[in-house]
Structures are given as structure tokens and as C-alpha cells.
Amino acid sequence: MILTLISQVKQRIDNSISAVVHKVIVIAVAIVCLLFAAAFGLVAAYYALVDSIGLRPIEAAGIVAGCLLGLALVVLAILPLAARTKSREAAAIAAPGEALALVDKGLSRATQRVGALPLVAIAFVSGFLATRR
């Protein structure tokens, strides 16, 4: 019974890790595509300023750089507004309570599914094996 429980936990961990890896790969590919699109757009804007308007290359580069600087300043101005209002100290104080609540909830579910005696036996064996190392 303990081996099946351990194998189920291992399988769940493997499934969650593979799901996270897949999400990270998809997000990384999307970010790379976004960066290439942004670079292509900047080059196109530069050539549009040079060819259609007739600006000198240095002027067109200055305009593109100024627009990027303005965009960066807008993003930096909006970033604090989008941040959470909860301070780090409050989060640090609430974190142990939330962790204990999650552990208590998981322990009550495990007790309902498996029973109290097998859980005590598993805890005893785990503690014994942990002290042997």
C-alpha cells in the first residue's frame, strides 16, 4: 500500500513537472516570436522614415530610439500601479498560516482516504528512515 501511494505521488509530480515544462516551452517560443516581430517592426519603421518621409538615417534612428524611450517610460510608470498592494511583510506573515492551512487540509483528505493508522505507520517509518541517514 505504501509503494502504491509513493508511486502515485511520483506519477503526479512527474505529470505536473511535464505540464510546467510544456507551458514554459510554449511561453518561451511566444516571447521569441514577439521579439522578432518587434525587431522587424522597428526596422520597418526606420526604413519608412528614411524612404517615405525623406529623413536622414541618423534622424530616423533618433526618432525610433525616442519612441522606444517613451514606451519604456510609460511601462515603468504603469508597473507600480499594476503591482500588488500587499506589502512583503504582510505576505511573509501570512505565508506560514497559509502553509499550515494547506498542510492541514491535505492531511485531513489523506486521513479520510487512507485512514489514521496507516498514516501514523507511514510517518513512523519515514521518521525512522530519515534519522538513519
Side-chain angles (χ1 to χ4, degrees):
M1 184 160 99
I2 294 172
L3 293 176
T4 58
L5 183 63
I6 292 172
S7 67
Q8 288 175 353
V9 169
K10 182 182 175 192
Q11 184 179 10
R12 287 183 184 175
I13 290 172
D14 289 341
N15 289 343
S16 64
I17 289 174
S18 66
V20 168
V21 168
H22 284 87
K23 287 180 184 178
V24 167
I25 290 172
V26 168
I27 290 171
V29 169
I31 289 173
V32 168
C33 290
L34 180 68
L35 290 175
F36 277 120
F40 182 76
L42 289 173
V43 171
Y46 172 79
Y47 280 113
L49 288 172
V50 170
D51 290 338
S52 65
I53 297 179
L55 295 175
R56 291 183 300 168
I58 193 73
E59 292 170 338
I63 291 172
V64 170
C67 289
L68 286 174
L69 178 65
L71 180 66
L73 290 176
V74 168
V75 168
L76 288 175
I78 293 174
L79 196 61
L81 299 176
R84 291 186 180 178
T85 58
K86 196 175 192 182
S87 68
R88 288 185 181 183
E89 295 173 4
I93 292 171
E98 293 173 1
L100 288 176
L102 288 174
V103 168
D104 186 38
K105 187 177 182 181
L107 186 60
S108 65
R109 284 184 184 171
T111 305
Q112 290 174 355
R113 289 185 181 177
V114 177
L117 188 60
L119 286 178
V120 170
I122 292 170
F124 176 78
V125 170
S126 300
F128 179 74
L129 292 176
T131 58
R132 302 270 298 167
R133 293 185 182 185

